[in-house]
Amino acid sequence: MRKLFIASTLIFWLAVAGFWASRLWFAAPVAEGIQETTPDAHYTPAELAAHNHEDDCWMVIDGLVYDFTTYLPQHPTPPEMLLVWCGKEATQAFRTKTKGRPHSPYAMRLLPQYHIGELHEQ
């Protein structure tokens, strides 16, 4: 019985250590993860502002333009939380979730697939 307890405890802690190790090794860097893809498209603030509704939602995070139109229904919060940032610069809102909490490494890894270009002031 004692051997069973020791073996199961050992297996449990190995599983916990493996979980945390995988999170550390595969977590996206907070700042660098955003710049993984670089489409050549350049957009102006006026072009960005035209994409400001639920059926066409673009945002700028750290100077890069993202099209989150298809992501809105998948976001964990109601779409209204994101809609206020459509067509706007949303870096601070993304970094703090507008409540002082950063987004997860998972959210950082999602960004490159929605990246469509860069914002240029002209």
Side-chain angles (χ1 to χ4, degrees), residues 28-100:
V30 172
E32 292 79 21
I34 292 178
Q35 309 255 352
E36 288 179 13
T37 61
T38 313
D40 292 331
H42 301 295
Y43 300 99
T44 64
E47 290 173 309
L48 173 68
H51 301 274
N52 63 352
H53 48 86
E54 189 170 1
D55 298 327
D56 189 13
C57 180
W58 291 10
M59 295 179 206
V60 172
I61 300 171
D62 290 329
L64 301 179
V65 180
Y66 297 93
D67 182 353
F68 290 124
T69 307
T70 59
Y71 181 68
L72 288 175
Q74 301 169 27
H75 193 266
T77 65
E80 295 77 31
M81 296 295 290
L82 293 174
L83 290 177
V84 298
W85 297 105
C86 293
K88 299 178 183 173
E89 160 57 54
T91 302
Q92 187 63 24
F94 181 79
R95 294 278 178 231
T96 65
K97 290 188 184 178
T98 317
K99 297 182 182 196

